[in-house]
Amino acid sequence: LDWMYLYVEPHGLIMKINRQPLPALSDEIVQSDSDYWTKYLAPMIGDRLKPDTTIGEVAAFAEKIHVKKDWSGFAGDPQFVQSEYWSENFSKLRSSIGGLYEWRARHAADAAEKKRMNDAADFAFRQAWALCPYSLETVLRYVNLLTSQNRRADALLVAETAAKMPEMKGNDQLRALVTELGNPNINVK
């Protein structure tokens, strides 16, 4: 809910609602959130996902694990990755926090704060997407963030990779998104 974003902050897996609005999310809050999720995800999907991990690397990971079922070198928990229930739920939790950062970026008063919040949103969405590369909600939220930053090629890679997931076969909404992103004459919003 839009009104809540001023009052919430990341708090582990969920968000904490404060009584008073927060004018900003401090560096400590953002770093603590990033550190928490990075450590929390390591047993689930391995510890390869860092803030400097590229979208291409996450796409390659998703394709290797979810499409090719190639577990060589995988340091996470195969049972977690194979559970649609757990993958989707943890992805949703992380994506929700990414949405908080994205909202803060859209409402930032200056360019430095906008960049800081966009960077936090990008990392949170990358983590959510790595958790569940076939979560349509996560894919759409991440694609929206990327297109808002004029990163159409990255958005296309996210959508194309998601479309390869066995769970997404026949998803007309995702196919239409891939078509839109792949056509430079269509303005994607």
Side-chain angles (χ1 to χ4, degrees), residues 33-109:
D33 176 58
S34 176
D35 292 346
Y36 175 86
W37 276 92
T38 299
K39 183 178 178 182
Y40 197 84
L41 296 182
M44 296 174 186
I45 61 172
D47 63 355
R48 299 162 67 183
L49 187 57
K50 307 283 189 238
D52 61 346
T53 303
T54 67
I55 291 172
E57 290 169 322
V58 178
F61 166 80
E63 201 168 329
K64 179 181 178 195
I65 298 300
H66 292 276
V67 177
K68 297 176 183 171
K69 308 293 186 201
D70 177 358
W71 301 99
S72 61
F74 180 66
D77 181 355
Q79 288 182 321
F80 173 83
V81 173
Q82 292 170 345
S83 169
E84 284 185 43
Y85 177 82
W86 292 113
S87 294
E88 287 177 354
N89 279 291
F90 279 95
S91 177
K92 183 170 184 63
L93 292 170
R94 190 59 177 142
S95 179
S96 294
I97 295 171
L100 167 63
Y101 293 135
E102 188 273 333
W103 185 90
R104 288 273 181 177
R106 274 190 288 121
H107 294 86

Side-chain angles (χ1 to χ4, degrees), residues 1-10 15-23 25 100 103-104:
L1 301 171
D2 214 40
W3 69 266
M4 284 182 24
Y5 285 121
L6 274 176
Y7 292 85
V8 297
E9 66 181 281
M15 289 184 266
K16 171 184 163 186
I17 300 176
N18 294 288
R19 291 181 187 271
Q20 300 298 319
L22 300 171
L25 297 177
L100 167 63
W103 185 90
R104 288 273 181 177

Side-chain angles (χ1 to χ4, degrees), residues 83-153:
S83 169
E84 284 185 43
Y85 177 82
W86 292 113
S87 294
E88 287 177 354
N89 279 291
F90 279 95
S91 177
K92 183 170 184 63
L93 292 170
R94 190 59 177 142
S95 179
S96 294
I97 295 171
L100 167 63
Y101 293 135
E102 188 273 333
W103 185 90
R104 288 273 181 177
R106 274 190 288 121
H107 294 86
D110 62 63
E113 181 65 6
K114 182 178 185 85
K115 180 180 179 348
R116 189 172 76 87
M117 289 294 101
N118 272 327
D119 289 347
D122 188 314
F123 186 50
F125 284 135
R126 249 179 301 135
Q127 288 178 318
W129 185 48
L131 280 164
C132 190
Y134 50 86
S135 166
L136 188 58
E137 177 183 353
T138 296
V139 168
L140 293 176
R141 288 181 104 171
Y142 197 20
V143 163
N144 284 337
L145 176 75
L146 295 169
T147 56
S148 76
Q149 297 174 351
N150 297 316
R151 295 170 58 192
R152 191 178 189 124

